[in-house]
Amino acid sequence: MKKALHGVSVLHSNAVTQLRIAHETGFDALELLPEHLFRFLEHGGTLEKYKQLMQHYNIEISCINALKRIGRHQPQERREMLDEADKICRAAQALGCPVVQIMALNEIDALSETERTEILTQNIRDIAAIGAKYGIKFQIEVVAFTPFNSLKQGQAIIDAVGADNVGVVIDFWHLYAGCDTTPEEVEALDVNLIYGVHFCDGRRLHPGEAWDERVQRNYQPGEGEVDIARWVAAVNKTGYSGVWCPELLSPTHWEDDLWQIARDSMDSLTAYTSK
């Protein structure tokens, strides 16, 4: 098992500090947000300098998270999306990062299921082709608050795309809160399609409530509704031995000390995965 600090867990920090904190709290890697990396680059940093810092702290970049809104389909927006994919992949290659996360948000919600499927299939196929030039793989995150929210849908898209560098991330909250995926489905998944695990908690939507991740995910592991032990067991039954990344999307806990957030994330991950 490789353990990665998630950049969203320490959202109110920068890409350099995250490397130090990850090192000091026992992580092997960092799942880096592109906005943190590109802010570093926009203000005088270079990829070479960042790679030197990675080596100094002995921290890998396990994933760049994420290329978002991959359902963009109007010509200009789609061109911008593919340019963004190229930019992220070039950075990933330079940093020795093997995986980029991709996800659709609400940009295609109003379309029919057939239209959504056609758009996502073609877009992911083209994104995969860009990644192939750089040796980059892509993990699809199905998102609970969109129509593209189940593991079955993710598998169907992967089959339709037909590229060997596209898989999924098993995100406990998204799969649980999307209401259409069970741990048993994870157990049955081909382990070669699992590129990462997001270890996290939260709850489902309450009746009459609007989706807001910062509300439904405002929980440390063990505080929400997710049967974390059951999801951990399901992943283990696949034989997966890759990156596990505790993801804390919690405005309440974001106000804790950054170092303590990382330490708590590591302690929680260790407690659940060492049983």
Side-chain angles (χ1 to χ4, degrees), residues 139-144 146-159 167-191 193-196 231 234-235 238:
Q139 62 183 34
I140 297 171
E141 182 170 80
V142 294
V143 174
T146 75
F148 185 52
N149 65 1
S150 74
L151 186 57
K152 289 177 182 176
Q153 290 170 310
Q155 289 177 273
I157 287 288
I158 290 170
D159 289 343
V168 296
V169 58
I170 303 300
D171 183 292
F172 295 172
W173 178 78
H174 278 297
L175 294 178
Y176 168 80
C179 303
D180 195 32
T181 300
T182 65
E184 288 74 21
E185 290 177 63
V186 172
E187 290 177 12
L189 186 63
D190 179 355
V191 68
L193 293 181
I194 304 176
Y195 290 177
W231 286 89
V235 173
T238 68

Side-chain angles (χ1 to χ4, degrees), residues 65-122:
N65 180 349
L67 174 64
K68 298 180 180 179
R69 300 180 62 245
I70 60 168
R72 283 175 273 179
H73 56 284
Q74 298 299 334
Q76 179 61 29
E77 289 186 344
R78 190 174 191 275
R79 183 68 259 163
E80 290 171 355
M81 176 194 67
L82 295 176
D83 288 344
E84 187 180 346
D86 189 86
K87 179 181 179 181
I88 292 174
C89 286
R90 279 188 285 112
Q93 182 191 54
L95 298 179
C97 167
V99 177
V100 170
Q101 180 163 303
I102 56 177
M103 54 202 298
L105 295 176
N106 301 110
E107 65 276 11
I108 50 176
D109 287 5
L111 303 180
S112 70
E113 182 176 358
T114 298
E115 290 171 321
R116 292 196 299 266
T117 299
E118 289 175 352
I119 289 166
L120 289 176
T121 300
Q122 188 58 57

Side-chain angles (χ1 to χ4, degrees), residues 2-267:
K2 184 175 292 184
K3 300 176 182 179
L5 175 66
H6 201 305
V8 82
S9 299
V10 285
L11 184 67
H12 303 307
S13 63
N14 63 46
V16 172
T17 303
Q18 289 164 24
L19 291 174
R20 177 183 61 80
I21 291 174
H23 170 75
E24 291 180 355
T25 54
F27 286 94
D28 308 295
L30 172 67
E31 185 158 324
L32 183 61
L33 306 190
E35 53 264 42
H36 287 159
L37 174 62
F38 294 134
R39 189 177 66 200
F40 170 77
L41 299 178
E42 288 163 5
H43 293 280
T46 65
L47 290 170
E48 182 57 35
K49 181 178 179 180
Y50 197 73
K51 192 169 184 178
Q52 290 171 359
L53 290 167
M54 289 166 54
Q55 294 168 346
H56 174 74
Y57 289 114
N58 194 30
I59 294 293
E60 302 173 19
I61 303 301
S62 58
C63 176
I64 294 181
N65 180 349
L67 174 64
K68 298 180 180 179
R69 300 180 62 245
I70 60 168
R72 283 175 273 179
H73 56 284
Q74 298 299 334
Q76 179 61 29
E77 289 186 344
R78 190 174 191 275
R79 183 68 259 163
E80 290 171 355
M81 176 194 67
L82 295 176
D83 288 344
E84 187 180 346
D86 189 86
K87 179 181 179 181
I88 292 174
C89 286
R90 279 188 285 112
Q93 182 191 54
L95 298 179
C97 167
V99 177
V100 170
Q101 180 163 303
I102 56 177
M103 54 202 298
L105 295 176
N106 301 110
E107 65 276 11
I108 50 176
D109 287 5
L111 303 180
S112 70
E113 182 176 358
T114 298
E115 290 171 321
R116 292 196 299 266
T117 299
E118 289 175 352
I119 289 166
L120 289 176
T121 300
Q122 188 58 57
N123 283 3
I124 294 173
R125 186 176 289 142
D126 290 347
I127 290 167
I130 291 170
K133 296 188 302 182
Y134 297 99
I136 301 301
K137 299 190 295 184
F138 298 93
Q139 62 183 34
I140 297 171
E141 182 170 80
V142 294
V143 174
F145 50 85
T146 75
F148 185 52
N149 65 1
S150 74
L151 186 57
K152 289 177 182 176
Q153 290 170 310
Q155 289 177 273
I157 287 288
I158 290 170
D159 289 343
V161 168
D164 62 4
N165 60 338
V166 181
V168 296
V169 58
I170 303 300
D171 183 292
F172 295 172
W173 178 78
H174 278 297
L175 294 178
Y176 168 80
C179 303
D180 195 32
T181 300
T182 65
E184 288 74 21
E185 290 177 63
V186 172
E187 290 177 12
L189 186 63
D190 179 355
V191 68
N192 295 309
L193 293 181
I194 304 176
Y195 290 177
V197 173
H198 286 164
F199 170 93
C200 49
D201 207 343
R203 61 172 175 81
R204 287 178 174 158
L205 201 65
H206 289 167
E209 183 181 37
W211 281 108
D212 184 346
E213 277 192 284
R214 298 185 181 211
V215 174
Q216 289 95 33
R217 301 187 68 174
N218 193 21
Y219 299 87
Q220 282 269 28
E223 295 178 346
E225 298 173 351
V226 178
D227 185 348
I228 294 177
R230 181 70 189 89
W231 286 89
V232 168
V235 173
N236 286 336
K237 286 185 178 180
T238 68
Y240 177 75
S241 60
V243 179
W244 289 69
C245 185
E247 181 180 12
L248 185 65
L249 203 158
S250 170
T252 296
H253 295 291
W254 283 340
E255 297 307 316
D256 295 338
D257 180 270
L258 295 170
W259 193 96
Q260 193 61 49
I261 292 170
R263 182 70 259 177
D264 290 345
S265 294
M266 172 60 79
D267 288 347

